[in-house]
Amino acid sequence: MSSQASIRTHADITLDQYPTPLEKFYHNEKALADRLCFVQPHEDGRIEEFTWRQHADHVRRMAAYLQSLNLEPGSRIAIMSSNCAHWIMADFAIWMAGHISVPLYPVLSANSIQQILEHSEAKALFVGKLDGWKAMSAGVPESVHTIAMPLAPDSADTRANWNEIIATTAPMIESPTFDRQQLATIIYTSGTTGMPKGVMHSFATMATVGVLTGKLYDTNQHDRMLSYLPLAHVAERAAVEINQLYQEFPVYFSASLETFADDLRRAQPTLFFAVPRIWVKLQQRVFQQVPEEKLNRLLKLPLISRLIKRKLTKALGMDKVRIGVSGAAPLSTSLMNWYQSLGITILEGYAMSENFAYSHSTQLGEAQIGYVGTANPFVDCKICPQGEILIKSPTNMMGYYLEPELTKDAIDQEGYLHTGDKGAIDQQQRLKITGRFKEIFKTSKGKYVAPAPIEDLLLRNTALEQVCVTGPDLPQPIALATLSETALEQSKDSVAREKLVQSLISLINDTNSRLDKHENISALVLFSELWSVDNNFMTPTLKVKRAQLEDAYQDQFSAWSSSKAKICWSS
């Protein structure tokens, strides 16, 4: 089944007429010269603002410096930093100098850094705002020319310094442009398993995303965004860097996790993009102010519910949000319903690195919980006989860097990207993600189980923060889960712990009543330590690494599965 009939096309749009990112940058440099571009907070409390003129001045001076290195045109230059204004400046400077940018996640291990820098054959690396640079630096080959950005750690012993370069280098006078089909960036996937693949994208792809995304969400100069998810991730890069470039609104940054709440209130974003883990954290912040049971009662009182909603959203810094978007991983149905009860509609989208975060979206007034929207303009989506979602888009990647065989496997002869996701398209042409082929497992009874729908049901209970359903070669699936901060505190008191256990047993019973017999959960295993990037159980984009969890705890699966207790505690 195909969604071809519902493709939202625009008769007045010709894709190859869009200005490329550099062409749009030169326009903004002049037309928006004194308008606010970036707001950069510092950990000492200082707030730094950049106009488009100042942004362009930094870019031109850095581009001139990169040219002075006499690198071969099209050299790969990497950026490794938490989000900051200079991350985006570095990206444009790399392009102006005629090179290709390679973003790296700011939480990678030294081994992963070395793998990517060597595979991409990077000649230079911008070192920015990083917490673990001392350990990470071991992964940077001696041959790579390093440049410290303004927020780099004091311990960053690099060959060059951003501020010194800006102070001593004359700005590039020329405004070079390049063929729109030329390679602009290589994005290494965050990946839940194996060596990341280098996804190649052209300037044309970014132009298409920048213009069409703005039309989808009606974004404009009066919008505001807070950038805090890694810019190395394609969704944040598309939503923030590219969307800002073409829609011309200011971007605010976050100084640290500790200042995130203040940064959010300062930005008062009108557009807010988050992965499911962030939506969960914001919900937990509300529960810290008002206990869940009390809040549920208050929201049912007509006379005061509106006041409660207004106070809570303002306290979060989300009272100005007109569009909330979730992506990168499935958002639980219960969480979407909870935000809806506060008056915040979360629109789900669906895309991947391989199509530069441009595939499916939900429009205001069209949200249907459980669906990720309809195909974007110029996108064709179909479901193959095996149930896999196939996407043909003008933003599909050029291929995987230095991996022609993997590219051939990913994009077929008709130009469809094989996503690896299972899905279905309804009569309104809305796409529903039903699982991922690599995640489906077979029990010892020979039955296949898709974990995603079961995880969604279990996450209805806010005591559970992260859930992973597994069970290959077990008689029945089991669920691994971490507890929320509140539930973890409850588990330390014997009376509260028993109440928690009983609520989770009720959850399992209710969940199993909604599933086929072979999908029934035999045990729920609780972990006191959250899965994180640091302990290698989550990707940099905050998705659970299922394979790592299974490898780490597989020896205990049989004992948990055969336990008479429905609730088990991991030691």
Side-chain angles (χ1 to χ4, degrees), residues 4 28 37 63 82 192 210 254 281 287 299 319 342 352 392 398 426 463 475-476 523 544 552 570:
Q4 179 70 46
N28 291 2
C37 183
S82 295
T192 53
S254 181
K281 286 296 185 184
F287 290 158
L299 291 176
D319 53 314
L342 290 185
M352 51 207 313
K392 181 187 284 187
M398 301 168 70
D426 71 4
Q476 294 291 143
V544 172
S570 173

Side-chain angles (χ1 to χ4, degrees), residues 15-16 18-21 95 179-185 187 199-213 234 237-238 242-243 245-246 352-359 393-399 411:
L15 295 181
D16 60 6
Y18 295 159
T20 65
W95 291 337
D179 187 279
R180 60 192 308 107
Q181 300 303 330
Q182 186 168 319
L183 175 60
T185 191
I187 302 172
V199 178
M200 299 187 292
H201 280 295
S202 66
F203 290 113
T205 285
M206 295 181 182
T208 298
V209 170
V211 174
L212 294 184
T213 301
V234 69
R237 199 166 175 205
I242 301 303
N243 200 20
L245 176 67
Y246 285 86
M352 51 207 313
S353 300
E354 284 81 351
N355 50 34
F356 208 82
Y358 185 82
S359 173
S393 168
T395 65
N396 278 358
M397 65 176 177
M398 301 168 70
I411 300 179

Side-chain angles (χ1 to χ4, degrees), residues 434 441 443 447-460 467 469-470 476-479 506-523:
T434 58
F441 59 87
T443 67
K447 298 287 188 177
Y448 288 93
V449 176
I454 306 173
E455 291 164 354
D456 183 64
L457 288 171
L458 292 172
L459 284 168
R460 290 175 296 161
V467 174
V469 171
T470 184
Q476 294 291 143
I478 62 174
S506 296
L507 173 69
I508 293 174
N509 291 338
D510 181 73
T511 297
N512 285 345
S513 71
R514 300 165 186 252
L515 300 171
D516 291 338
K517 290 294 184 184
H518 72 276
E519 297 174 314
N520 279 195
I521 298 295
S522 62

Side-chain angles (χ1 to χ4, degrees), residues 353-427:
S353 300
E354 284 81 351
N355 50 34
F356 208 82
Y358 185 82
S359 173
H360 285 69
S361 60
T362 305
Q363 302 303 293
L364 284 171
E366 297 179 5
Q368 177 67 30
I369 290 175
Y371 290 82
V372 295
T374 53
N376 289 342
F378 303 99
V379 171
D380 181 23
C381 172
K382 66 181 181 180
I383 309 298
C384 76
Q386 293 75 31
E388 184 179 11
I389 300 168
L390 308 182
I391 303 289
K392 181 187 284 187
S393 168
T395 65
N396 278 358
M397 65 176 177
M398 301 168 70
Y400 294 120
Y401 186 63
L402 301 180
E403 300 286 358
E405 292 304 314
L406 288 178
T407 300
K408 193 180 300 182
D409 291 340
I411 300 179
D412 63 30
Q413 292 183 343
E414 295 180 13
Y416 283 93
L417 173 68
H418 289 240
T419 65
D421 291 321
K422 288 194 70 174
I425 300 171
D426 71 4
Q427 291 183 339

